[in-house]
Amino acid sequence: MPIKWILHWRPNAGTTVNTQILTEVSQCIESINGVKDGTWKNTLSFYKPILKGQQLIVEAESSMQTIMETLQSYKLRVALNFEGFHYRLGDFRLRVGKVVPINSENLRGIIMKMNHLPISSWETSHQIMGEFFDIWKEALGKRSLPGHFVHIEPNFAEYGLSDQYTSQHTAVQYDSVITQMVATAISS
């Protein structure tokens, strides 16, 4: 499975996210020869346990939601749609889009997912992903946007995850990004 970095837009103090920023980010990807390759949409539901317990990160099919609600072991905390476009740029795939609550169009954030296709080892890919992110920040910096993308690297070992990248690594990153987005929204 290819390595993924999940990044979120952190607005400058006193500013908020808006669709114009999303448009400019997309234009920036195209300006560095990114080729639009279609649309993407993910829905993520975050649950909290009804009984106090250890945090658990799982990936499940849609039927899992019905099971948890029937057992009354977890309560839905928030459900978010991530929707936008995906782009090809050499060995990289970028997905950039808006974050909105289910059944709403109120923009809550902007997210970008960077994939590097040839490598599936987290440690091996770290330098390549970091260098690409630096190039991306430089290109985006020329646009004088009111904020920047942030990459927060979770400690995957805390979740019992190995160096070989899996969909559970992605789930942990989404959890970390959403936690940061909520903290940023509360502090501003």
Side-chain angles (χ1 to χ4, degrees):
M1 172 175 230
I3 297 296
K4 296 174 179 70
W5 277 15
I6 312 291
L7 309 119
H8 74 280
W9 183 262
R10 180 174 292 159
N12 291 342
T15 65
T16 58
V17 294
N18 58 59
T19 55
Q20 181 59 36
I21 295 170
L22 184 58
T23 300
E24 293 225 20
V25 167
S26 294
Q27 290 171 350
C28 186
I29 293 170
E30 292 172 8
S31 77
I32 59 171
N33 299 320
V35 177
K36 192 180 283 187
D37 201 24
T39 60
W40 69 282
K41 182 175 181 177
N42 284 339
T43 300
L44 298 176
S45 299
F46 292 88
Y47 288 85
K48 64 179 181 179
I50 291 177
L51 300 173
K52 288 249 182 203
Q54 186 178 20
Q55 185 181 19
L56 178 65
I57 303 288
V58 296
E59 177 185 16
E61 300 297 324
S62 59
S63 61
M64 186 64 174
Q65 183 175 354
T66 306
I67 293 169
M68 289 193 311
E69 289 169 1
T70 302
L71 293 174
Q72 297 181 343
S73 56
Y74 288 84
K75 180 180 178 183
L76 181 64
R77 192 171 102 200
V78 66
L80 300 168
N81 283 328
F82 298 79
E83 51 189 271
F85 297 99
H86 54 90
Y87 298 86
R88 285 181 289 115
L89 190 60
D91 286 342
F92 292 89
R93 299 297 179 265
L94 302 177
R95 293 182 181 190
V96 63
K98 62 183 180 178
V99 179
V100 295
I102 279 192
N103 302 322
S104 172
E105 285 299 315
N106 294 332
L107 185 64
R108 294 289 184 241
I110 297 173
I111 195 164
M112 185 169 78
K113 183 162 54 166
M114 292 180 4
N115 294 17
H116 184 250
L117 299 178
I119 301 174
S120 62
S121 164
W122 185 261
E123 283 300 317
T124 304
S125 72
H126 200 269
Q127 181 178 352
I128 294 168
M129 294 290 276
E131 289 173 2
F132 181 80
F133 186 47
D134 288 344
I135 291 167
W136 167 248
K137 288 188 299 188
E138 182 180 324
L140 199 57
K142 294 176 182 174
R143 295 191 175 251
S144 301
L145 295 172
H148 58 280
F149 278 104
V150 176
H151 175 244
I152 298 167
E153 190 170 312
N155 182 352
F156 295 118
E158 287 179 11
Y159 298 91
L161 299 175
S162 71
D163 178 54
Q164 204 61 24
Y165 198 85
T166 67
S167 58
Q168 289 177 321
H169 289 78
T170 304
V172 168
Q173 287 189 82
Y174 271 114
D175 180 61
S176 180
V177 162
I178 296 306
T179 300
Q180 285 299 313
M181 285 175 64
V182 168
T184 300
I186 290 170
S187 68
S188 54

